[in-house]
């Protein structure tokens, strides 16, 4: 069993707060110069500060991430960094699967706050789930237009 360091406790708290969409808690865990990086680059997501990260998460059509805490043999810890592999078993807001694999790297400031989180996941999972969400959202919008008497196609 891996000894639970202060940094590992903080990284696990980040995963738990992300799963709970507890954005207030996420803010308290980060340093003022926090940076979130989401890869791969093909996703086209620029690095963000904590407020932009939270805005992106709040707008994501994900009902639940259900990111698992990693197994001991999937964790590598350095002086001010932690790397681990894990999975998720969540759902989008319309019930599509959000089953992804993640590689996370956390770095920590001298005052034991999270300085950066780099998340690398399978972009095909996101594209499929979010593409399905987009189709449903467009259909819902068309239904709303139809119920108001407006027959203009969207």
């Amino acid at each position: 069993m891996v000894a639970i360091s202060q940094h590992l406790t903080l990284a696990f708290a980040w995963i738990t707060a992300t799963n709970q969409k507890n954005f207030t808690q996420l803010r308290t865990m980060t340093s003022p110069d926090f940076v979130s990086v989401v890869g791969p680059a093909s996703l086209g997501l620029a690095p963000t500060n904590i407020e932009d990260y939270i805005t992106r998460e709040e707008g994501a059509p994900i009902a639940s991430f259900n990111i698992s805490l990693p197994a001991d043999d999937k964790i590598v810890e350095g002086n001010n960094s932690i790397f681990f592999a894990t999975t998720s078993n969540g759902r989008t807001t319309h019930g599509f699967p959000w089953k992804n694999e993640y590689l996370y790297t956390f770095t920590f400031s001298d005052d034991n706050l999270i300085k950066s989180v780099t998340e690398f996941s399978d972009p095909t999972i996101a594209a499929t789930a979010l593409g399905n969400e987009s189709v449903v959202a467009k259909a819902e919008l068309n239904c709303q237009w139809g119920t108001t008497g407006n027959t203009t196609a969207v």
Side-chain angles (χ1 to χ4, degrees):
M1 179 170 187
V2 172
I4 304 294
S5 68
Q6 186 173 2
H7 289 157
L8 188 55
T9 299
L10 193 55
F12 284 3
W14 175 274
I15 297 298
T16 300
T18 298
N19 284 338
Q20 297 169 346
K21 295 189 176 194
N22 186 339
F23 302 122
T24 301
Q25 185 178 359
L26 290 176
R27 283 183 183 95
T28 67
M29 293 187 239
T30 58
S31 66
D33 58 345
F34 171 83
V35 175
S36 166
V37 177
V38 177
S42 63
L43 292 174
L45 298 173
T48 63
N49 61 29
I50 189 63
E51 292 307 320
D52 291 341
Y53 171 82
I54 288 170
T55 298
R56 184 177 63 223
E57 293 299 304
E58 287 175 327
I62 308 300
S64 63
F65 286 104
N66 291 332
I67 301 168
S68 300
L69 296 181
D72 292 351
D73 64 342
K74 303 289 185 189
I75 301 168
V76 177
E77 186 167 0
N79 288 336
N80 280 319
S81 63
I82 290 178
F83 171 86
F84 58 79
T86 191
T87 60
S88 67
N89 187 19
R91 295 253 172 234
T92 66
T93 53
H94 288 97
F96 297 106
W98 188 267
K99 295 182 181 201
N100 213 330
E101 297 175 296
Y102 296 90
L103 299 176
Y104 277 101
T105 302
F106 290 80
T107 62
F108 302 91
S109 63
D110 291 338
D111 52 352
N112 291 317
L113 294 172
I114 297 174
K115 187 171 184 165
S116 70
V117 176
T118 300
E119 170 189 330
F120 192 92
S121 61
D122 183 346
T124 59
I125 301 299
T128 300
L130 298 180
N132 288 338
E133 280 293 310
S134 176
V135 168
V136 171
K138 193 177 281 188
E140 286 179 341
L141 183 60
N142 284 332
C143 288
Q144 288 173 354
W145 281 73
T147 60
T148 62
N150 187 334
T151 59
T152 305
V154 177

